Amino acid sequence: MPLPYVLLSAAVSLDGYLDDTGPERLLLSSPADFDRVDEVRASVDAILVGAGTIRADNPRLLVNSAERRAARVAAGRTEYPLKVTVSATGELDPAARFWHTGGDKVLLTTDEGARRARTLGLAADVVPLGAAFDWRAALEHLHDRRGVRRLMVEGGGTVHTQLLRRELADELQLVLAPLLVGDPDAPRLFGPGEYQSGRLRLVESRRIEDVVLARYLPTAPGTGDRVAAADRHWLALACELAELCPPSRTAFSVGAVVVAADGTELARGYSREGGDPAVHAEEAALARITPDDPRLAGATVYSSLEPCARRASRPVPCARLILDAGARRVVTAWREPDTFVPGADGSGVLAAGGAVVVVLPEYEERAKAPNRHLEG
C-alpha cells in the first residue's frame, strides 16, 4: 500500500543526545534553524510526535510564521498541518497544549488505548488500529484516510528508532549542535537494536549559524517482497532516467538502476542510451557491470517498466538478462501493456526463474509520463 513520505527531524548534541536531565528543555537548535524547522512544518501535510514527547516537552507544534500559514491557505491547504500522536496505551494528559493549539489532531492507538483515550476526553480524533500498535497500519491510515503525502516526525527518540528499524523513514534531517551532554541517563536519538545495513546517502550539509544540518536518505533495498523506504528512492530515480530517453514511436521510454544489497549503486541506464535505437534500460545498466561481480546475486534491479519477456530487436529479453546476471529481485512501477507485445509477462518469466517482483503502483503515473505519446 502507498505510504506517506516520512521525514525524521531531530537536533542532537555532538555526543548524540536529544536533551539533558535538567528541569528545562535543552535548546540545541539556533534561532535560524528554528525558522528552518518552521518552514519545513509549513511544507508538510502532517506533523507527528510520540506520546513521550507530549509528556516530556508539552509541545504546540505550530507553524509560527503568519506568512507561511497564509501561503498554505492561499494554496487551498489548511492553515496548520494535521497534528498526529501515537500511543499504545492512550494515557495522555487532556490538558496538554498539543490538543488545544493549531488545527486538527489525531491519536493513533490500539483498541484498548482508544477506550482509555475516549474516557479521558482527549480533544482529538481517536483511531484504534487493532490489539497492538502497528506502524505500517498507522502510516497507511494517514495516507489513505487523511490524505497525508508528506509526514514530518519530530520525535522522540523511541519513535525515530522504531521507524528507522522498520525501514519506514524516507529521509533524516539531523541538526548537530556544538554541545556535549555526557549524561548516560539523558535521552539519546537512537536506541539499540537491529537496523538495516548499508550507508545512508548524504544529500545536503549546511551550516546554520553555529549548528550543522545534514540530510540523509536510506540506500539499502528491501529483501524479498518487503518494501523498504530505499526502494521508493531508487524506483523514483529509474522514473527520472526514463525521462532522458530519446522519444520513439516504436518502443517505451524506460529507466533502470541496479543496486547492491548494501545500497551501493552498481549501474544505471535508460532506453536508446548512447544513440543505440534498440538498447533497453535494463540491458544498458547490466552491460556496465562485470558479469562475475559477486554483488549481483543480492542486487535489486529497479525498472520504471516491467522488464520485457519478448523483444524483436534483440534475441535475449531483459527478464532473461536479469536472471542470467544472477539478480533475483526486481522492483517496478508499471506492468507492460500490450502496446507492442501482446500478453507481455516479464514478471512471469522472472518469477519462473526464482526472482521476486515487487510492483509499486504509486509510481505508475511517473513511469507513464515519458510514454504519453504512445497512448491512443
Side-chain angles (χ1 to χ4, degrees), residues 99-111:
W99 316 111
H100 304 289
T101 55
D104 293 341
K105 298 95 183 170
V106 61
L107 166 64
L108 302 178
T109 183
T110 61
D111 295 342

Side-chain angles (χ1 to χ4, degrees), residues 26-364:
L26 178 64
L27 296 181
L28 293 164
S29 294
S30 66
D33 187 58
F34 284 127
D35 186 65
R36 178 196 65 82
V37 170
D38 195 66
E39 182 179 22
V40 177
R41 286 180 179 177
S43 72
V44 300
D45 302 306
I47 305 168
L48 183 148
V49 293
T53 297
I54 293 179
R55 297 183 189 110
D57 300 339
N58 196 21
R60 297 184 304 158
L61 297 180
L62 302 178
V63 175
N64 294 311
S65 165
E67 291 79 8
R68 290 173 183 142
R69 296 199 304 271
R72 286 179 59 90
V73 173
R77 308 172 75 185
T78 57
E79 183 179 8
Y80 294 98
L82 175 70
K83 296 202 300 187
V84 184
T85 190
V86 295
S87 170
T89 67
E91 294 178 349
L92 290 157
D93 182 1
R97 294 188 297 182
F98 179 91
W99 316 111
H100 304 289
T101 55
D104 293 341
K105 298 95 183 170
V106 61
L107 166 64
L108 302 178
T109 183
T110 61
D111 295 342
E112 180 59 32
R115 286 189 284 272
R116 188 173 292 111
R118 287 167 180 151
T119 299
L120 291 170
L122 299 180
D125 186 4
V126 178
V127 179
L129 295 172
F133 186 80
D134 182 279
W135 270 111
R136 186 169 290 275
L139 295 177
E140 288 176 357
H141 174 86
L142 291 176
H143 183 280
D144 297 342
R145 303 294 295 275
R146 307 286 167 160
V148 175
R149 298 298 179 263
R150 289 184 64 85
L151 174 67
M152 183 181 186
V153 180
E154 295 200 39
T158 298
V159 169
H160 283 134
T161 297
Q162 290 176 351
L163 287 167
L164 273 176
R165 290 187 62 191
R166 287 163 176 77
E167 302 172 15
L168 294 171
D170 294 278
E171 179 178 340
L172 172 61
Q173 294 190 1
L174 184 64
V175 165
L176 192 63
L179 295 170
L180 294 165
V181 174
D183 186 341
D185 295 326
R188 300 185 70 90
L189 175 56
F190 299 125
E194 183 178 349
Y195 291 86
Q196 189 176 21
S197 61
R199 299 170 70 91
L200 301 181
R201 179 159 59 97
L202 179 67
V203 294
E204 180 187 3
S205 61
R206 182 179 8 140
R207 177 178 176 178
I208 305 174
E209 293 179 339
D210 66 342
V211 304
V212 175
L213 166 69
R215 291 178 53 233
Y216 294 95
L217 303 181
T219 62
T223 56
D225 60 1
R226 180 180 52 78
V227 177
D231 289 323
R232 296 188 285 273
H233 288 299
W234 290 117
L235 187 56
L237 174 59
C239 292
E240 291 175 11
L241 291 169
E243 297 173 359
L244 302 177
C245 301
S248 170
R249 298 295 306 182
T250 59
F252 291 110
S253 294
V254 183
V257 190
V258 184
V259 182
D262 67 355
T264 301
E265 180 183 330
L266 300 180
R268 62 175 69 182
Y270 57 89
S271 305
R272 299 176 292 285
E273 186 176 356
D276 183 342
V279 72
H280 286 195
E282 304 92 330
E283 179 184 20
L286 290 169
R288 293 188 167 94
I289 307 172
T290 304
D292 60 356
D293 190 324
R295 296 173 296 179
L296 276 169
T300 295
V301 177
Y302 297 89
S303 180
S304 59
L305 176 66
E306 176 186 46
C308 63
R310 300 191 304 276
R311 61 191 294 191
S313 58
R314 299 272 166 86
V316 183
C318 291
R320 177 51 54 187
L321 289 174
I322 291 169
L323 293 172
D324 291 347
R328 290 297 180 266
R329 186 170 186 267
V330 175
V331 178
T332 186
W334 181 26
R335 298 294 298 270
E336 183 178 356
D338 293 341
T339 307
F340 302 116
V341 180
D345 186 18
S347 295
V349 173
L350 289 163
V356 173
V357 180
V358 178
V359 181
L360 300 184
E362 60 266 39
Y363 290 89
E364 181 174 326

